Amino acid sequence: MHGEGASSVAADEVVAQIKAAGGNAMANYANVCNTDDVLGPVMEEYGKLDILINNAGILRDRSFLRISDDDWQAIMDVHLTASFKLSQKAFEVMKAQKYGRIINTSSSSGIYGNFGQANYAAAKMGLVGLTNTLAIEGRKNNVLCNAVAPQALSRMTENIFPADLHEMLGPQFVAPLTLYLCHEDCNETGGVFETGGGYSSKLRFQSTKGALFATKASYPTVEDVAAKFDEICNFDDEPEAVESIHEATMRIMNAISEMPDAPEAAGDDPDADIQPNKAKAWKSDIVNWEYTHKDVILYNLGVGASPMKDNCELRFIYENHDEFQPLPSFAIVPAFKAIAELGETPGLKVNLANILHGEQYIKLHKPFDADGAKLSTTAKVGDILDKGKHLVYSTDYESRDEDGELVCTNQFVTFVRNQGGFGGTNQQETIVEPIDAPDREPDHTFEESVPLGQAALYRLSGDPNPLHLDPDFAQMAGFKVPILHGMCTYGYAVRHIQNQYPETPISAIKGRFSSPVLPGDTLVTKMWKDGEKVLFEVWNKESNVKAISGGFVEFGFEESEKSSGSSESSRALLTDKLFAEMSDKVDASSVNKVKGIFKFEIMEDGKLAKSWVVDLKNGEGSVSESDGKADCTIIVSDSDFAAIAAGELDAQKAFFGGQMKIKGNVMLSQKLGTLLK
Ligand SMILES: CCCCCCC[C@@H](O)CC(=O)SCCNC(=O)CCNC(=O)[C@H](O)C(C)(C)COP(=O)(O)OP(=O)(O)OC[C@H]1O[C@@H](n2cnc3c(N)ncnc32)[C@H](O)[C@@H]1OP(=O)(O)O
């Protein structure tokens, strides 16, 4: 019973019974772990092997903490390892003769678990896994494999079953099913059967309908799982049998294809205009914008740069000037391009007529290229503050160049009148604080009137809000006449400060819009040097109120780690890295799982820069730089490439998470994605 005795009585009795019934049999007393000793004599005597029943078993029952390594290993050796080794040898013979039946004796102890049998249960369930795979691998050579979990009387179970049932639980009641599964007329394979007492049933895996707890907008959290856990476990609602690994994979694939863009945010009222959790979970698309020197000049003109000014502003408006440059607040332009393209933020349905620009923080991470560049901008929501009557929220925009390097960040603080009171927090977490000006006379002051038509010029740089031009809209928004863009006033102040401190470029700017400015008003920019910063305020001379308060600027850029000219090579390096990664992951074994030819096209400047082909059709699973036909083509655009380079987009995830443009068979590309992951 424990694998320690040496009696051969049981085997001899069976041989005698078979012979008495007119059959031919031979007892073999070898330990099943010595496979040659078991199978060698069979092949010698009979020259063939049609059926293998891995039935030998021992027990080493102990409660879990008392199982010794030896108890574990002895069980594994006899039940699992011996079944593997014997099956492997038998499989070779059966495959060659194109006939074979293998039965693995499993146990309900493994299928359901049983106290004191952790070792035995693990081995018995291991046999189910072995059976499933042998069934798949053997099918085409007529080698079929099934598992039987008997409830039968044996020396191992005679103390378990009540004595009056012993007769009905004899092996005579189990053997018929096992023999049927071994018969040449039976095509069953990969089945798991319970049998005993002349009764038998087939088992299968059943899955709940399941629940999708992720969205495309952000990575799922533990809380997302917790919220859906009952649904994940609910067998009452249309449970499904899952018959193969293919079906199991397709269920996940189908779930991915049904994944919603935005989350159903927990804690939000789904009917409310303001849904803070939903807004904060939003992950924007990437908005691409290419500017030229004309955009730079248009912006600089919009914030008052002029050749007529004393301090030689030609450098802001003439592209042939040696020091031609955008003002640092030019950073606002790609952000406004993104605002226009992205439209309403999910979870923030605000009345446009109630919007006022509240504050703005700009950070430049490297100087702008004055001649032009391609920028890719993404947005996310920061704070959403309930100010009682009003709503204040911040949005952060990051703009990167083609190498994926961060060029500038913008933090908008938007003040929405009369849309507070939604039950949100007033605790700000990410908004950059304004800094109050000191209580002393400013170190420098600069005064300038804003021409009456300035808003009409400024709006061409990306903020077409009718509040600044359309008298009817302005009145609807509660103003007698159109007011100036806050960022136009801001740009004036930045120009004043940069002119005052021309030696070092400005690299960060913050300001709060305290009162509206009207075209024609005179702006007075007051500056205070404060260590490395310059603090500033903008006053409205006519009304003698602050238009911008709490303003500060910082100067200078940190040394770029990259030497100039490295962008081309970094792009090439990254392409090579992606290629190498893919080559590493695709191997011959992949071919069985996914069949198809996949092409990747890396674009540069909208044109094909490089392509490679993953061929899982030719039986080898090769990755090559060839350019032939493909079942599906995955196109890596300039901006996607930039995002991968910037580490914002995981290449594998991007290729197969539906973010890349795919021509051809989408499901096939998702399958390849799963395989590579
Ligand atoms: C995605 C991004 C999209 C951005 C789109 C921008 C589009 C542009 O085209 C729009 C514009 O350019 S509008 C023009 C520029 N802005 C302005 O002219 C606004 C001027 N400011 C005001 O009128 C008042 O300060 C006013 C009305 C804003 C507030 O005044 P009050 O109602 O008197 O407020 P107050 O009682 O002083 O304070 C209430 C709470 O609000 C906070 N707060 C005040 N001013 C703020 C401001 N400018 N920005 C942010 N928060 C501000 C206060 O701190 C206070 O909060 P708390 O109660 O917690 O202390």
Side-chain angles (χ1 to χ4, degrees), residues 25-101:
M26 179 177 83
N28 182 323
Y29 311 122
N31 184 327
V32 282
C33 297
N34 304 331
T35 46
D36 286 339
D37 295 345
V38 176
L39 292 185
V42 174
M43 294 308 288
E44 242 170 62
E45 178 71 18
Y46 301 104
K48 66 190 298 225
L49 174 60
D50 295 324
I51 298 169
L52 170 70
I53 302 180
N54 287 307
N55 188 58
I58 58 167
L59 286 180
R60 294 283 181 95
D61 290 3
R62 309 250 190 285
S63 61
F64 185 58
L65 289 180
R66 295 179 55 226
I67 293 179
S68 68
D69 288 357
D70 188 46
D71 294 333
W72 177 267
Q73 201 54 53
I75 292 289
M76 289 299 151
D77 286 348
V78 172
H79 291 273
L80 198 52
T81 310
S83 298
F84 152 67
K85 287 164 74 173
L86 286 165
S87 301
Q88 196 178 45
K89 287 209 182 280
F91 196 88
E92 205 179 344
V93 178
M94 292 170 172
K95 188 176 166 192
Q97 70 195 15
K98 296 250 180 288
Y99 185 89
R101 300 289 184 262

Side-chain angles (χ1 to χ4, degrees), residues 343-576:
E344 189 178 274
T345 306
L348 280 177
K349 192 179 272 185
V350 290
N351 182 346
L352 291 182
N354 289 351
I355 280 187
L356 286 173
H357 205 154
E359 294 175 0
Q360 187 71 22
Y361 175 69
I362 286 176
K363 170 93 181 148
L364 301 191
H365 302 268
K366 59 192 279 194
F368 281 110
D369 188 335
D371 298 328
K374 283 182 179 170
L375 296 176
S376 305
T377 303
T378 52
K380 64 180 174 19
V381 174
D383 290 338
I384 301 176
L385 307 176
D386 189 342
K387 298 278 180 193
K389 190 166 181 218
H390 310 294
L391 156 72
V392 169
Y393 70 92
S394 66
T395 25
D396 298 285
Y397 293 76
E398 281 190 354
S399 300
R400 292 178 183 273
D401 63 17
E402 276 191 285
D403 296 328
E405 286 188 24
L406 195 55
V407 177
C408 57
T409 45
N410 273 273
Q411 185 184 68
F412 287 71
V413 177
T414 305
F415 192 98
V416 191
R417 292 167 296 174
N418 306 321
Q419 251 185 292
F422 53 91
T425 178
N426 187 19
Q427 201 63 43
Q428 75 183 51
E429 283 173 2
T430 60
I431 295 175
V432 176
E433 293 279 355
I435 302 177
D436 285 340
D439 195 11
R440 62 178 166 87
E441 282 301 301
D443 298 325
H444 303 283
T445 302
F446 194 88
E447 192 174 305
E448 185 177 7
S449 294
V450 181
L452 283 169
Q454 195 66 23
L457 182 59
Y458 179 82
R459 69 191 291 275
L460 299 178
S461 287
D463 182 357
N465 187 343
L467 175 66
H468 309 295
L469 202 60
D470 182 338
D472 293 338
F473 188 93
Q475 277 185 15
M476 195 174 75
F479 295 97
K480 281 194 186 126
V481 291
I483 64 172
L484 194 62
H485 297 78
M487 283 310 291
C488 182
T489 310
Y490 191 95
Y492 266 74
V494 169
R495 184 168 53 79
H496 296 162
I497 299 165
Q498 187 71 88
N499 283 339
Q500 187 64 49
Y501 299 93
E503 309 80 30
T504 334
I506 290 175
S507 57
I509 315 149
K510 171 76 187 187
R512 167 182 272 216
F513 303 108
S514 305
S515 66
V517 173
L518 304 181
D521 283 352
T522 305
L523 303 177
V524 182
T525 304
K526 299 181 180 181
M527 304 165 221
W528 292 264
K529 188 91 179 74
D530 182 49
E532 299 291 297
K533 292 184 170 64
V534 166
L535 311 185
F536 73 94
E537 288 177 348
V538 178
W539 284 70
N540 190 322
K541 192 172 180 189
E542 284 73 21
S543 56
N544 197 30
V545 292
K546 278 183 236 179
I548 295 182
S549 60
F552 67 83
V553 301
E554 291 166 350
F555 298 89
F557 294 94
E558 282 173 20
E559 273 292 298
S560 168
E561 280 174 30
K562 280 193 162 186
S563 59
S564 62
S566 67
S567 64
E568 249 182 58
S569 62
S570 74
R571 192 181 162 99
L573 277 175
L574 182 61
T575 309
D576 289 346

